[in-house]
């Protein structure tokens, strides 16, 4: 038994260690294959989702297509195509480290812990955790959830913060949003917590959006970034340049309006504060 | 004559469209030993399996020890505790020792006290000549020993009737006699028995009557001397010539 | 770039206690579900062989209905579909007292019961019919014949396939994370969230499942030898 374990461990280490022998940089790989492979969501409107026409679209995807792709094309000197793979909170880091995708462009919060495993681009979206509750529910925010049953997205930072800040809340963690919302709708849980924007998306899609309200101050700061394999500063620089140019040229705000404007998939107007934050991330040429 | 132990009255039995027992009329008196013989497929097994209701019949009536077996509300458990059966392939329960095989029904059906049941079971093993094999599993017994345990198992319920379906056909020749001896002793003790067998020596010595079947019909019924000396039907004659030639 | 392994994440911070909790929950839900599956499997497997057609049909319906729908759907069924049928107060009580766990347990148990049923049925059918007849001939009722003769033999015969099915049940218990049961896979994901160390967490989970499966298989092999029927194993092995 012990020997078997040792063998397996050795195998795992050998596989992990063998990869770099024929590793190329991400940029070299994109140049060779003419393809940028991204990991994105299929069910997180409006960041990445499959729309009614069965097209895989979204805010994060548009940013890659219209801001990052041109910057990379300029660098490698040829046109490239963007290939999409599905990623989820649980799979996104393994997808990156296994080279299955080059860039995670979805709803991933930039955290210091995650920065130990992956690198992040500039922040491309800012939100914070809130609660979705029935309009008659007594919950008004994180201060009133003690003892309550709260659904959260499995693997999200929100669950982690709640566990630390309100240990008496009964957390129920679901791997996907529809199940969590179903639990809320049926009363298995009293509230569903997630980033405000996710909740806005869910509410917009609900059969009776009027029945649901998003409550509470942001109890977490959720800056969304695009994640890449660690220590590839050339590639990361290109991704950031793409984003900065889009902000500078106003392209970013157009795309924002398309998805989050009053006629967008999920209305979520850009606050003045957030707009200023976006602009201030752009460093001089 | 006393009331018969077993009475078949115009019994008909079908397997689907196959008519295997045709208008059977047959009685067995208390203490009588009847040997049933006939060619393969003639319905011998089916006939005796009807006595303890392992097979149901489509028409006619079978009365065993004064009670109808074929009526709808027949008490089959009581019937089967009064009628023991021994099969060609022994059918001992492989996960139980010889002793446990014998004790099972008295314990579970009659719900007798264990000590008493065990005493009876050991006595029965003694009677069939293998007292030292009580703790052997069937797989560790010879065929002849297994069949003797099977007889003891049937006797453990103190049946009034014993049915035997070719009890020696699966045995090596040197083991046949040990089983036939046990059966002969039983007959001598006055047990009512229906025995399907091709052991004509046994039939001659022990049977009061031979029933010869062919094609689902009882073709001939006679005392052994008469049957072996001068069978009345052609079919019985043919059958005997084949059987007795070896 | 090279993936830097950092195995210490598995025992630093809360990871160790999460893994332990996950392991305990996995064992708990699997053990209870196994008992349910064994009971349902033996019952329905036996009913599929009895001489009464309506009971056979009912058992066949159970088996086909439950084993032909994916386990994930059953998880949702027991968690989302069943509680609304209960009175409001009962629902609320359940939701506060581990409804997820019980829904997951029922889903696993009932689903694997249907699969176990097939194993039991084939075990029973491999026993010569004459064993049943011999039981009847000594006066046992149908119920006694099954309880004292048929099932004890069948259960010994089916140890290897039943072990297999039990291991499947253990591995399938991870599906319960979809309804928020914090079992082992859930906890390895949790560790990954906190540490962003996917491979280490996954490896830990994989090794734990592996050790569990290998130990269960070893225990079952022992049981099989311990309760072997003399003469019978050889026959099944040869046949
Ligand atoms: N369960 C059954 N279903 C259908 N047909 C059967 C069944 N049992 C017996 N039969 C058929 O009924 C007929 C009589 O069978 P039975 O076993 O009574 O004959 P037998 O005289 O005992 O023959 P043998 O000497 O070969 O044992 C045969 O044709 C047999 O194939
Ligand atoms: Mg026969």
């Amino acid at each position: 038994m012990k020997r078997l374990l040792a063998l397996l461990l050795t195998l795992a280490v050998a596989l992990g260690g063998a990869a770099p022998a024929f590793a190329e940089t991400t940029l070299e790989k994109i140049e060779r294959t003419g393809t940028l492979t991204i990991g994105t969501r299929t069910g997180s409107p409006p960041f990445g989702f499959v729309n009614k026409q069965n097209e895989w679209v979204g805010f994060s995807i548009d940013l890659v297509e219209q801001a990052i792709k041109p910057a990379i094309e300029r660098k490698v000197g040829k046109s490239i195509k963007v290939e999409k793979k599905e990623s989820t909170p649980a799979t996104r880091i393994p997808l990156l480290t296994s080279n299955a995708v080059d860039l995670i462009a979805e709803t991933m919060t930039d955290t210091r812990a995650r920065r130990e495993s992956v690198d992040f681009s500039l922040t491309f979206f800012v939100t914070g955790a809130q609660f979705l509750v029935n309009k008659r529910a007594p919950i008004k925010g994180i201060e009133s959830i003690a003892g309550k049953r709260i659904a959260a997205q499995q693997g999200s930072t929100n669950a982690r913060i709640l566990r630390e800040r309100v240990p008496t809340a009964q957390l129920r963690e679901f791997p996907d949003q529809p199940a969590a919302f179903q639990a809320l709708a049926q009363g298995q849980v009293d509230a569903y917590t997630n980033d405000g924007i996710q909740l806005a998306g869910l509410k917009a899609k609900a059969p009776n959006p009027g029945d649901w309200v998003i409550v509470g101050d942001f109890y977490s700061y959720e800056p969304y970034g695009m994640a890449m394999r660690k220590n590839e500063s050339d590639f990361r620089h290109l991704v950031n340049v793409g984003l900065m140019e889009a902000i500078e040229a106003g392209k970013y705000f157009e795309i924002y309006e398309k998805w989050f404007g009053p006629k967008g998939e999920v209305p979520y107007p850009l606050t003045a504060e957030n707009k200023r934050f976006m602009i201030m991330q752009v460093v001089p040429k | 004559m006393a009331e018969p132990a077993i009475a078949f009255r115009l019994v008909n039995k079908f397997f689907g469209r196959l008519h295997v027992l045709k208008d059977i009329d047959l009685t067995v008196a208390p203490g009588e030993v009847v040997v049933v013989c006939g060619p393969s497929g003639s319905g011998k097994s089916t006939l005796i399996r009807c006595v303890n209701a392992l097979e149901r019949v489509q028409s006619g009536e079978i009365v065993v020890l004064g009670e109808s077996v074929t009526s709808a509300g027949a008490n089959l458990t009581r019937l089967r505790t009064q009628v023991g059966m021994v099969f060609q392939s022994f059918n001992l329960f492989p996960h139980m020792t010889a002793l446990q095989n014998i004790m099972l029904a008295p314990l579970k059906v009659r719900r007798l006290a264990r000590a008493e049941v065990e005493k009876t079971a050991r006595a029965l093993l003694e009677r069939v000549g293998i007292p030292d094999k009580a703790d052997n599993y069937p797989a560790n017994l010879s065929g002849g020993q297994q069949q003797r345990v099977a007889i003891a198992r049937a006797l453990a319920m103190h049946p009034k009737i014993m049915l035997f379906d070719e009890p020696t056909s699966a045995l090596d020749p040197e083991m046949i006699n040990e089983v036939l001896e046990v059966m002969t002793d039983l007959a001598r003790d006055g047990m009512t028995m229906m025995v399907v067998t091709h052991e004509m020596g046994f039939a001659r010595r022990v049977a009061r009557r031979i029933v010869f079947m062919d094609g689902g019909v009882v073709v001939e019924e006679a005392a052994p001397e008469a049957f072996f000396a001068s069978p009345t039907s052609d079919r019985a004659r043919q059958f005997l010539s084949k059987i007795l030639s070896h | 770039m090279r993936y830097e392994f950092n195995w210490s994440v598995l025992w630093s911070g809360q990871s160790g206690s999460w893994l332990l909790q996950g392991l305990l929950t996995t064992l708990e839900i699997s053990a209870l579900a196994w008992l349910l599956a064994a009971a349902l499997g033996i019952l329905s497997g036996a009913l599929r062989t009895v001489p009464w057609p309506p009971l056979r049909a009912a058992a066949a319906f159970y088996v086909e209905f439950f084993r032909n729908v994916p386990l994930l759907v059953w998880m949702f069924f027991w968690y989302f579909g069943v509680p609304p049928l209960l009175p409001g107060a009962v629902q609320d009580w359940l939701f506060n007292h581990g409804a997820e766990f019980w829904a997951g347990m029922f889903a696993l148990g009932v689903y694997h019961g249907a699969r176990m049923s097939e194993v039991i049925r084939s075990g029973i059918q491999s026993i010569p019919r004459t064993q049943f007849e011999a039981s009847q001939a000594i006066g046992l009722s149908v119920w006694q014949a099954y309880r004292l003769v048929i099932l004890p033999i069948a259960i010994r015969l089916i140890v290897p396939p039943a072990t297999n099915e039990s291991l499947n049940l253990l591995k399938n218990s991870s599906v319960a994370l979809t309804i928020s049961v914090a079992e082992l896979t859930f906890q390895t994901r949790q560790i990954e969230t906190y540490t962003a160390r996917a491979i280490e967490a996954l490896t830990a989970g994989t090794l734990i499942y592996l050790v569990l499966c290998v130990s269960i298989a070893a225990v079952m092999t022992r049981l099989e030898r311990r309760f072997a029927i003399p003469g019978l194993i050889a026959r099944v092995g040869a046949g």
Side-chain angles (χ1 to χ4, degrees), chain B residues 13-16 18-21 36-49 55 88 165-166 196 198 213 216, chain C residues 133:
Chain B
K13 162 83 186 162
F14 297 81
F15 283 115
L18 189 66
H19 197 171
V20 283
L21 295 181
V36 181
C37 64
S40 178
S42 57
K44 309 178 296 287
S45 299
T46 310
L47 180 81
I48 68 165
R49 288 160 58 86
E55 306 286 358
Q88 177 176 354
D165 190 358
E166 306 205 29
V196 176
H198 294 148
M213 290 187 71
Chain C
E133 286 177 346

Side-chain angles (χ1 to χ4, degrees), chain A residues 117 154 163 172 186 188, chain C residues 79-80 96 100 186 190 196:
Chain A
S117 315
Q154 210 174 84
R163 189 173 288 114
R172 304 278 188 264
Q186 288 195 190
Q188 265 94 341
Chain C
Y79 186 52
F80 292 122
N96 275 323
E100 298 74 22
F186 179 103
Q190 174 104 314

Side-chain angles (χ1 to χ4, degrees), chain C residues 76-151:
Chain C
F76 286 164
F77 170 79
W78 288 99
Y79 186 52
F80 292 122
V82 173
L85 307 175
L86 304 169
V90 178
Q91 276 187 48
D92 211 56
W93 186 88
L94 269 179
F95 296 156
N96 275 323
H97 293 84
E100 298 74 22
F101 179 89
W102 294 108
M105 197 281 289
F106 272 103
L108 259 185
V110 175
Y111 175 81
H112 279 280
R115 300 178 49 110
M116 208 70 104
S117 175
E118 287 295 275
V119 172
I120 305 263
R121 175 171 72 115
S122 63
I124 291 175
Q125 286 175 342
S126 73
I127 299 172
R129 177 140 193 95
T130 51
Q131 285 287 316
F132 182 71
E133 286 177 346
S135 314
Q136 299 252 281
I138 59 169
L140 298 184
S141 64
V142 173
W143 158 242
Q144 284 177 319
Y146 271 86
R147 186 166 58 85
L148 300 168
V149 177
I150 305 300
L151 286 174

Side-chain angles (χ1 to χ4, degrees), chain A residues 5 8 20 90 94 97 113 117 149 154-155 160 163 170 172-175 179 182-183 186-188 229-230, chain C residues 1-3 79-80 84 92 95-96 100 177-180 186 189-190 192-194 196-198 207 210 214:
Chain A
L5 288 187
L8 274 164
T97 52
S117 315
R149 303 183 299 263
Q154 210 174 84
R160 171 180 185 171
R163 189 173 288 114
Q170 305 181 52
R172 304 278 188 264
E173 296 180 59
F174 293 87
Q182 185 70 26
Q186 288 195 190
Q188 265 94 341
R229 277 179 288 278
K230 232 171 136 65
Chain C
M1 74 155 236
R2 186 194 166 98
Y3 189 90
Y79 186 52
F80 292 122
D92 211 56
F95 296 156
N96 275 323
E100 298 74 22
L177 67 81
T178 53
I179 54 169
S180 146
F186 179 103
R189 290 193 185 180
Q190 174 104 314
E192 195 223 309
T193 309
Y194 273 60
R197 290 270 152 199
L207 284 180
L210 187 76
V214 172

Side-chain angles (χ1 to χ4, degrees), chain B residues 49 52 54 77 80 83 87 91-96 104-105 108-109 111 137 139 153 157, chain C residues 130-131 133-141 144 147-149 152-153 156 229-232:
Chain B
R49 288 160 58 86
N52 66 349
L54 285 183
T77 301
R80 286 167 182 162
V83 179
F87 301 84
N91 297 349
L92 292 179
F93 306 130
H95 59 306
M96 297 179 182
L104 183 66
K108 300 296 175 176
V109 181
R111 302 185 186 285
Y137 282 90
R153 178 175 70 179
M157 296 295 275
Chain C
T130 51
Q131 285 287 316
E133 286 177 346
S135 314
Q136 299 252 281
I138 59 169
L140 298 184
S141 64
Q144 284 177 319
R147 186 166 58 85
L148 300 168
V149 177
I153 301 174
R156 285 167 166 100
I229 300 172
L232 214 65

